[in-house]
Amino acid sequence: MKIAMASDHAGFSLKNEIKAYLEEQGHEVLDFGTNSEESCDLPDYIYPASLAVAEGKAERGIFVDGVGYGSAMIANKIHGLYAAVCQDPFCAQLARSHSNTNVLCIGGKIIGSAIALEVVKAWMTTEYLSDMPKYTLRVDKVKEISERHLKKISEI
Ligand SMILES: O=C(CO)[C@H](O)[C@H](O)COP(=O)(O)O
């Protein structure tokens, strides 16, 4: 799978560890930076990576900052992106099986690399339960909100 990755300074080190793990698993990573621990502004990196997912250049995104929510705030403002902050594998599993998210956000100040890799593994390997109407109905309702409030990438 093609994965867009991005981070700020606080997620830089964990981004690199996750990137190495994904590449080991045979995935292709498009790395949108940042490229050091020098202080930077999260939107400068998460927005271009989010656009890559929205435009279909990557199938999914994995974004890392200090605590995760900043990346999710940015990603969830883009049409077609559904981002969840997951700091444990159970949450990551449900973010796929119940919610069909296509963006995973992790906080490098919250979890260490061992748990983070478990989170990534759970999120990457869990299928959406597309044959369970209670989940598809909810996901469709979220999509409908997005259709009503977010501009499509082709309209920008
Ligand atoms: O977690 C974050 C957003 O969700 C950021 O990484 C955090 O706010 C960065 O803070 P600082 O510049 O003080 O390192």
Side-chain angles (χ1 to χ4, degrees):
M1 210 181 281
K2 230 181 230 187
I3 312 290
M5 287 200 75
S7 75
D8 66 359
H9 52 283
F12 169 70
S13 162
L14 184 55
K15 169 168 70 74
N16 284 346
E17 294 191 59
I18 294 171
K19 180 180 172 180
Y21 168 76
L22 289 170
E23 287 175 343
E24 254 173 46
Q25 300 299 308
H27 300 291
E28 185 183 342
V29 174
L30 307 179
D31 188 344
F32 288 84
T34 186
N35 299 312
S36 77
E37 286 183 338
E38 191 180 326
S39 183
C40 65
D41 300 329
L42 190 60
D44 296 344
Y45 300 93
I46 302 302
Y47 180 55
S50 296
L51 286 181
V53 179
E55 289 165 351
K57 292 174 184 158
E59 289 158 80
R60 293 194 195 174
I62 298 181
F63 305 154
V64 192
D65 61 43
V67 296
Y69 76 85
S71 296
M73 283 170 62
I74 299 161
N76 280 323
K77 287 182 169 48
I78 314 292
H79 188 273
L81 268 59
Y82 300 92
V85 181
C86 300
Q87 317 285 24
D88 65 78
F90 180 66
C91 175
Q93 193 190 323
L94 263 61
R96 287 287 314 135
S97 60
H98 290 194
S99 303
N100 198 22
T101 53
N102 56 4
V103 173
L104 170 67
C105 302
I106 296 177
K109 290 182 183 173
I110 307 293
I111 54 174
S113 62
I115 293 179
L117 296 185
E118 288 300 314
V119 167
V120 170
K121 184 180 175 189
W123 189 75
M124 288 296 295
T125 57
T126 303
E127 294 296 326
Y128 174 45
L129 294 171
S130 57
D131 55 351
M132 290 193 65
K134 72 172 180 175
Y135 299 130
T136 57
L137 181 69
R138 294 166 193 165
V139 166
D140 287 350
K141 285 185 177 184
V142 177
K143 266 189 196 155
E144 200 275 321
I145 294 168
S146 162
E147 292 303 319
R148 209 172 331 137
H149 292 280
L150 297 179
K151 259 191 193 169
K152 290 193 176 67
I153 205 87
S154 57
E155 293 167 349
I156 293 170

